[in-house]
Amino acid sequence: MRKKGLVVCIIAVVIGMAIFLTVGANKKSERSTGYTMIKDEKLKDDVKLPYTNLTSYIATNDFIYVAVCEPGSASIANQIVKIDRTSGAYKSIFHSNLDKAATQGLKNSGDWIIWVDGDDLGGSTKFYAFNEKTNKTLSFGTTSDTVYTDFPEISGDLVVWAEHEQVTKQTKLMTYDLTTQKRKTIRTVSKDKWKVSDYTIRDGVIAYIDKSSEKMMLHVQDTKKKTNKKYPITAKNPDWLTFIDEHTIVYVDNLKQGQFDKNKLMTYSMKDKKESALFADQKTVEVDSLSGFKNDAILTEVNNALHVFAVENGVVTEQPFTQKNNWPLDSVDISYWNHEFYIFENDVDAHIYNLTIDTEL
């Protein structure tokens, strides 16, 4: 999921840490202030967690994972809590050892769950991966004070991310195979550390935008077939790249920096080598979210309304979409992963966080 305003993305820093053994917690007594409520359709009863500052979340078939913090802590979030979707039992599987930690960026693929951790200023970044079958955690992607990283993306066993070197002004696009534990540099761009603006991965195919020349270039690199194809695009400031199917990319073109309502939602067909705008009848739109939806479709919030798009006969076409609940889009964050909707509500002042997971919206 890529979401402006979602807690997962509000911290524009990237994180770091060291492993700290965690202690299980089953139905602990409630802390004095703040809590996180999990409302999962698979659970008989809601689960009330004695944690606050929910920064990110994902779910698998059997478990929910949330990045949270103990009330009263100086951290933004400092641990990963695993919740059983049948019993509601929960335990902390990771705890940062940093005084002011920012643990976030949860994503999953297959048996792997990944996240990033570091201090609240974006230093000491380190990535972590937890294997749900083996219950083992490994760390990778460590950076220093002179290297900043973007949030990693994952598909299967392969993780991709960008590293920005402050001294050389280089950006490196990196991959890490969680099974072989091998790290590779697949692209280096010199002179400007932000030249690789965004990236996405699907079934071993990595797509990213290269800004190293005056004309934007979409690179599509197949790590299995060892091919790299390039496609020129017209976007001024592309972001939130997302595969809609194996041949089509969707992304947001930010027309004005820092103005979320001055955007275009764009698609690019690698088959036809054709770029087009969704909502082409409007000069600009406000795009608040973009995430995968079921097989070969996307869910997006545009102009405070939800829309679903899929590819039909080579054309990205809006699909009929109904909701069973009338969620107020201006006060909740809605995304879709793993065939389920995630509805996130938070009252920051009261430190109350609600996460609803349902197969219907």
Side-chain angles (χ1 to χ4, degrees), residues 24-88:
N26 260 331
K27 307 297 184 183
K28 290 183 178 179
S29 59
E30 190 175 332
R31 304 288 177 97
S32 57
T33 60
Y35 61 85
T36 294
M37 185 73 77
I38 306 295
K39 303 173 182 180
D40 183 4
E41 68 161 356
K42 290 187 177 181
L43 283 165
K44 181 180 178 182
D45 300 307
D46 296 344
V47 175
K48 194 171 187 177
L49 303 175
Y51 308 101
T52 64
N53 294 11
L54 178 61
T55 60
S56 62
Y57 44 81
I58 56 97
T60 62
N61 288 332
D62 300 317
F63 300 97
I64 301 166
Y65 297 83
V66 293
V68 288
C69 194
E70 308 98 331
S73 170
S75 293
I76 294 170
N78 62 4
Q79 59 189 297
I80 304 297
V81 173
K82 176 182 178 182
I83 307 149
D84 191 299
R85 300 187 69 175
T86 301
S87 67

Side-chain angles (χ1 to χ4, degrees), residues 119-139:
D119 62 37
D120 58 352
L121 297 177
S124 306
T125 310
K126 189 174 285 188
F127 300 158
Y128 288 85
F130 173 80
N131 189 288
E132 205 166 53
K133 278 190 175 179
T134 64
N135 284 315
K136 292 183 178 179
T137 301
L138 61 89
S139 62

Side-chain angles (χ1 to χ4, degrees), residues 35-245:
Y35 61 85
T36 294
M37 185 73 77
I38 306 295
K39 303 173 182 180
D40 183 4
E41 68 161 356
K42 290 187 177 181
L43 283 165
K44 181 180 178 182
D45 300 307
D46 296 344
V47 175
K48 194 171 187 177
L49 303 175
Y51 308 101
T52 64
N53 294 11
L54 178 61
T55 60
S56 62
Y57 44 81
I58 56 97
T60 62
N61 288 332
D62 300 317
F63 300 97
I64 301 166
Y65 297 83
V66 293
V68 288
C69 194
E70 308 98 331
S73 170
S75 293
I76 294 170
N78 62 4
Q79 59 189 297
I80 304 297
V81 173
K82 176 182 178 182
I83 307 149
D84 191 299
R85 300 187 69 175
T86 301
S87 67
Y90 61 89
K91 64 178 180 180
S92 177
I93 63 168
F94 166 85
H95 198 300
S96 176
N97 69 343
L98 298 170
D99 292 335
K100 294 183 178 181
T103 308
Q104 57 187 311
L106 277 163
K107 294 183 177 71
N108 69 311
S109 178
D111 298 322
W112 293 101
I113 291 90
I114 63 170
W115 64 89
V116 290
D117 182 73
D119 62 37
D120 58 352
L121 297 177
S124 306
T125 310
K126 189 174 285 188
F127 300 158
Y128 288 85
F130 173 80
N131 189 288
E132 205 166 53
K133 278 190 175 179
T134 64
N135 284 315
K136 292 183 178 179
T137 301
L138 61 89
S139 62
F140 64 99
T142 305
T143 63
S144 66
D145 291 340
T146 61
V147 179
Y148 291 93
T149 64
D150 292 338
F151 283 103
E153 300 289 338
I154 183 172
S155 177
D157 298 338
L158 194 64
V159 183
V160 61
W161 71 95
E163 291 186 353
H164 309 291
E165 298 180 355
Q166 305 303 295
V167 176
T168 64
K169 303 301 181 184
Q170 288 184 333
T171 287
K172 292 182 178 180
L173 199 61
M174 312 296 300
T175 62
Y176 188 85
D177 189 311
L178 293 169
T179 299
T180 64
Q181 299 187 23
K182 290 184 177 179
R183 170 186 169 117
K184 288 183 180 179
T185 300
I186 65 170
R187 172 76 170 160
T188 300
V189 179
S190 302
K191 304 300 181 185
D192 190 326
K193 62 184 180 180
W194 304 111
K195 288 297 187 184
V196 178
S197 65
D198 200 17
Y199 43 87
T200 185
I201 183 170
R202 171 179 169 141
D203 299 329
V205 178
I206 300 168
Y208 62 95
I209 302 287
D210 185 351
K211 296 181 180 179
S212 58
S213 62
E214 289 186 8
K215 196 170 187 68
M216 297 292 174
M217 193 70 68
L218 172 66
H219 287 246
V220 181
Q221 186 163 337
D222 192 320
T223 61
K224 296 175 183 177
K225 296 180 180 178
K226 310 298 182 184
T227 60
N228 186 10
K229 298 180 180 180
K230 303 176 185 179
Y231 308 91
I233 61 173
T234 62
K236 293 183 178 180
N237 189 23
D239 202 359
W240 296 4
L241 263 65
T242 304
F243 278 104
I244 190 169
D245 69 5

